[in-house]
Amino acid sequence: MNRIWNSVVGKLWVTILLLVSFVLFIITILMLEFLGNYHSQQAEVTLRQEAGTIARIVDDHDNVDTSLDIISVILGPGTNALISKEPREVSLTLHEGENGELIHEYIMKDKTLNRVFQSSEPILKEMILPSLTNKNQMESYYVLASPLNVENELHGAVFIYQSLDVIHQTTKKTTNIVFLSAFIAFILTTFFAFFLSTRITSPLRKMREAAFELSKGNFDSKVPVLQNDEIGQLATAFNQMGRQLKHHLEVINQEKEQLSSILTSMTDAVITFNRDHTILLSNPQADKLLQKWFFRMGNSTSQPIPMEMDHMLDHVLHLEEEINEELEMEGSYYAISISPLYSGDSIRGAVAVLRDMTEQHRLDKLRSDFIANVSHELRTPIAMLQGYSEAIVDEIVTSEEERNEMMKIIYEESQRMGRLVTDLLDLARMESGRMRLYKENVAVAQVMERITQKFSQVAKESNINLEFVNRISPQLTAEIDVDRIEQVLTNLVDNAIRYTPNEGKVSVSVEQHKAFVKISVQDTGTGIPSEDLPYVFERFYKADKSRMRGKGGTGLGLAIAKNMVESHDGDITVQSIENKGTIFTFTLPIKNL
């Protein structure tokens, strides 16, 4: 039922019914008023005519009975009369009913009607009198009092009274006609409403269903075009709108996916802010950066972005200008560019692009340190070569023994420079990926033991106990470049012997760890300070430069060893306790595990 009331058909149906009902009501009121006046006038005219006829009959006939017979024929049904010679006296009656005497008594007592005995004009009055058919009921009557003239002399009056029941019956019939018309109008209106339902509202309902499908994202739904009128044109426009919406949505989705792909693939962090500094959009790099900052700050702040960045954002939103800065936050360096976003002439937010420059700063520092270290490492031997060669050229040296000693120093320093240059070239080739490995399948334990035994004599001269511990099968093999791995192990064992005091111990052990073979070089030497451990594999990094100078190292051995191990898909680590010893460990993948 509610569906009908809420539909166009129901509203149109109710509107037409109300309109028809209102029109019928007005017509009924006017018609009843008209009929009432018309019947009243007709009744008055009829009564006057009958009164005049009665007066002429009485005047023309001497015989009263004959007059009464003629008058009774003339008077219609429902009309009665009485003749009075004197006021308040009834002389003759015609068509007297059951309550005739009461009616006569009411009429004779009426002062207005009794004036007819002194007047020559008829008197008409509407009165409430007893019913002629029902004793206990009163009815409305028209009463006409007309003077009775005989031979131009007043000989009494005739009183004619007629019930208004005819008018009431006419009103009742008129009301019935109105109700019948209303019923017919209801039927016709209902038929017309359902006709409109099939011709108008049915296509509208289909459009409504199609509109709901569009709201759900089903842009393939179409409305059938069955008419050429406005509704058919509306259906055509609706189908065109659906196609256009589908096309525009596809374009928007493509642009959105393209933008999302661009933002996701960007190495820079991108964040879009609203005017209230809330984050609207961010790419994965920005999410990682914000999480990193949040975890660093812990629960000490409720801001989603750093305070420095928030000040920059506030500057851009209020002054409406782009800002580019490089900030250091929590030990990290960032290049930040914030630009305003406009909506028409007003700023609706800002977009920030952040680039993590920490690694670049670190590389710049390593580069500068590398240049300084290379310069430092080359300056000393070059100065020594220059000084001793000038002494020989200027013949400052007098004895042959001094000359030979200077030439020996020049030779050693040139060899040291050669080793430094060779190490730099090897390291550069490995980092650029141009160094070629000549791998072969060898027994790991046998190779490691052979390399270790090469240092047995050096260890004895330094009064150091060098031992080799094998915890793997002699048949366990690995595919390695023997020369490069020998260079790695040689560097580690040489460093261990070099920094282990007399009566110390250096141990080389080989053991299997899952799919790798693990080689460890452990010593009981001076150890490495804990603050220097993260940097021991950096180029030219020396925990004690004066001590390293005395030991003749270039500061590149561990960096070369790390690159060689990683080129074999292995890993190298260090553990050290100062003044207790150091353990260098590197792993190599096992073949045919």
Side-chain angles (χ1 to χ4, degrees):
M1 193 67 179
N2 291 330
R3 183 178 179 182
I4 296 177
W5 294 124
N6 295 328
S7 64
V8 177
V9 175
K11 294 177 181 177
L12 185 62
W13 180 47
V14 172
T15 302
I16 295 175
L17 282 181
L18 291 176
L19 179 61
V20 171
S21 300
F22 179 75
V23 172
L24 289 177
F25 176 76
I26 297 299
I27 291 175
T28 302
I29 296 298
L30 296 177
M31 187 180 294
L32 292 177
E33 183 70 19
F34 170 76
L35 291 176
N37 294 333
Y38 175 77
H39 285 290
S40 298
Q41 293 174 1
Q42 289 297 108
E44 181 179 355
V45 171
T46 302
L47 291 177
R48 289 182 182 275
Q49 291 176 352
E50 291 178 348
T53 303
I54 292 173
R56 286 194 301 272
I57 292 172
V58 173
D59 187 24
D60 293 340
H61 295 81
D62 296 332
N63 190 345
V64 176
D65 293 334
T66 303
S67 299
L68 291 178
D69 292 337
I70 296 173
I71 293 172
S72 63
V73 173
I74 293 173
L75 295 178
T79 302
N80 296 275
L82 62 91
I83 298 174
S84 175
K85 299 292 185 178
E86 297 292 338
R88 302 182 185 278
E89 291 183 4
V90 178
S91 302
L92 296 172
T93 60
L94 298 173
H95 297 175
E96 185 178 353
E98 185 175 355
N99 293 325
E101 295 181 359
L102 289 175
I103 293 173
H104 298 164
E105 184 177 351
Y106 275 97
I107 293 174
M108 290 294 100
K109 290 181 179 180
D110 190 90
K111 296 180 179 179
T112 302
L113 295 177
N114 284 324
R115 292 176 185 171
V116 72
F117 291 98
Q118 289 85 27
S119 174
S120 61
E121 296 295 332
I123 298 174
L124 179 66
K125 183 179 181 180
E126 183 178 352
M127 299 179 64
I128 304 299
L129 302 174
S131 174
L132 292 172
T133 58
N134 193 344
K135 293 182 179 181
N136 301 322
Q137 185 175 350
M138 303 293 285
E139 292 181 0
S140 295
Y141 287 83
Y142 269 140
V143 181
L144 177 66
S146 179
L148 187 62
N149 296 315
V150 178
E151 295 180 356
N152 297 324
E153 293 182 4
L154 182 63
H155 289 273
V158 57
F159 297 89
I160 302 174
Y161 55 95
Q162 183 181 19
S163 175
L164 296 179
D165 185 56
V166 176
I167 298 176
H168 295 319
Q169 289 179 359
T170 303
T171 303
K172 184 176 180 181
K173 289 181 180 180
T174 304
T175 305
N176 292 335
I177 292 173
V178 170
F179 280 117
L180 179 61
S181 301
F183 178 74
I184 294 173
F186 175 80
I187 298 297
L188 293 177
T189 303
T190 304
F191 174 77
F192 178 68
F194 283 100
F195 173 76
L196 288 179
S197 174
T198 57
R199 301 293 296 176
I200 298 178
T201 59
S202 179
L204 292 178
R205 282 198 299 268
K206 292 180 180 179
M207 289 186 201
R208 180 192 62 184
E209 295 171 358
F212 283 134
E213 291 296 324
L214 284 181
S215 65
K216 296 176 182 177
N218 183 15
F219 295 100
D220 294 327
S221 61
K222 294 183 179 180
V223 178
V225 181
L226 303 178
Q227 305 175 30
N228 294 324
D229 54 3
E230 290 82 357
I231 296 179
Q233 295 174 1
L234 179 62
T236 303
F238 184 89
N239 293 333
Q240 292 177 354
M241 180 188 68
R243 289 193 296 270
Q244 290 295 325
L245 283 176
K246 182 179 180 181
H247 171 71
H248 291 309
L249 187 62
E250 289 176 351
V251 172
I252 292 173
N253 288 334
Q254 290 176 0
E255 293 179 352
K256 184 178 179 181
E257 291 175 359
Q258 184 178 3
L259 178 61
S260 178
S261 300
I262 293 173
L263 291 177
T264 303
S265 61
M266 287 181 64
T267 57
D268 297 339
V270 180
I271 308 175
T272 303
F273 296 94
N274 205 347
R275 282 195 63 89
D276 58 357
H277 295 203
T278 56
I279 297 176
L280 297 177
L281 178 66
S282 60
N283 63 347
Q285 287 75 14
D287 294 336
K288 293 179 182 178
L289 190 62
L290 293 174
Q291 290 177 1
K292 178 182 177 182
W293 177 82
F294 182 77
F295 286 135
R296 280 185 179 180
M297 297 301 295
N299 297 326
S300 60
T301 181
S302 59
Q303 281 191 316
I305 58 176
M307 184 65 68
E308 299 87 348
M309 188 174 173
D310 188 73
H311 292 327
M312 295 173 62
L313 180 62
D314 190 67
H315 175 84
V316 171
L317 293 175
H318 284 83
L319 298 183
E320 300 184 5
E321 62 180 11
E322 184 178 353
I323 188 171
N324 296 281
E325 293 289 343
E326 185 170 333
L327 295 179
E328 180 185 2
M329 296 182 292
E330 302 295 328
S332 299
Y333 297 88
Y334 300 96
I336 302 177
S337 175
I338 303 179
S339 303
L341 293 176
Y342 291 91
S343 178
D345 296 332
S346 61
I347 290 182
R348 61 180 178 88
V351 58
V353 180
L354 295 87
R355 177 173 296 178
D356 192 348
M357 306 294 291
T358 306
E359 184 65 20
Q360 184 174 344
H361 274 264
R362 190 184 71 84
L363 293 176
D364 290 341
K365 185 177 183 303
L366 290 176
R367 187 182 298 109
S368 61
D369 292 343
F370 174 75
I371 294 173
N373 288 328
V374 170
S375 301
H376 176 75
E377 292 293 335
L378 291 176
R379 182 179 58 186
T380 302
I382 289 174
M384 293 181 68
L385 289 174
Q386 184 179 359
Y388 285 117
S389 61
E390 287 180 353
I392 295 174
V393 171
D394 294 340
E395 296 181 355
I396 297 176
V397 181
T398 56
S399 64
E400 188 68 24
E401 182 179 355
E402 290 179 353
R403 181 185 298 273
N404 292 334
E405 184 178 355
M406 288 184 181
M407 293 179 66
K408 182 180 179 181
I409 293 174
I410 291 173
Y411 175 74
E412 290 176 352
E413 291 299 324
S414 63
Q415 282 188 325
R416 184 162 176 261
M417 289 180 62
R419 288 196 304 271
L420 177 61
V421 173
T422 301
D423 290 344
L424 285 173
L425 290 174
D426 289 342
L427 188 60
R429 281 195 295 267
M430 282 186 291
E431 289 182 347
S432 64
R434 293 198 300 267
M435 175 170 282
R436 183 176 179 183
L437 298 178
Y438 298 92
K439 294 183 179 182
E440 55 181 319
N441 195 24
V442 297
V444 178
Q446 182 180 353
V447 172
M448 298 304 164
E449 185 176 6
R450 176 179 60 80
I451 298 172
T452 304
Q453 293 302 323
K454 290 172 57 176
F455 291 89
S456 59
Q457 185 63 34
V458 178
K460 288 181 181 180
E461 292 177 358
S462 301
N463 196 18
I464 294 174
N465 181 19
L466 177 63
E467 65 175 359
F468 177 78
V469 180
N470 181 25
R471 297 189 178 93
I472 63 174
S473 171
Q475 288 76 29
L476 188 63
T477 61
E479 191 174 6
I480 61 175
D481 186 331
V482 178
D483 292 337
R484 299 303 177 186
I485 296 301
E486 181 176 352
Q487 186 177 353
V488 173
L489 187 58
T490 298
N491 183 278
L492 296 179
V493 175
D494 181 66
N495 286 343
I497 294 175
R498 191 182 304 174
Y499 298 114
T500 300
N502 292 335
E503 298 182 358
K505 181 180 179 181
V506 175
S507 175
V508 178
S509 61
V510 181
E511 58 183 321
Q512 183 178 348
H513 181 71
K514 296 182 180 179
F516 294 87
V517 59
K518 183 169 70 174
I519 301 97
S520 301
V521 179
Q522 182 176 2
D523 63 61
T524 58
T526 57
I528 303 172
S530 58
E531 62 270 15
D532 294 328
L533 283 177
Y535 309 102
V536 294
F537 295 107
E538 299 291 343
R539 292 172 293 184
F540 293 111
Y541 188 85
K542 301 175 183 179
D544 188 348
K545 293 180 173 55
S546 62
R547 183 183 65 186
M548 291 293 291
R549 171 66 58 196
K551 300 299 182 177
T554 62
L556 296 173
L558 291 178
I560 294 174
K562 183 175 184 296
N563 278 275
M564 288 183 175
V565 171
E566 290 178 350
S567 64
H568 282 78
D569 299 326
D571 189 24
I572 185 169
T573 58
V574 59
Q575 298 176 356
S576 181
I577 300 176
E578 198 169 3
N579 298 322
K580 289 189 177 181
T582 304
I583 303 176
F584 280 91
T585 303
F586 67 94
T587 59
L588 297 172
I590 301 173
K591 183 177 178 60
N592 298 327
L593 183 61

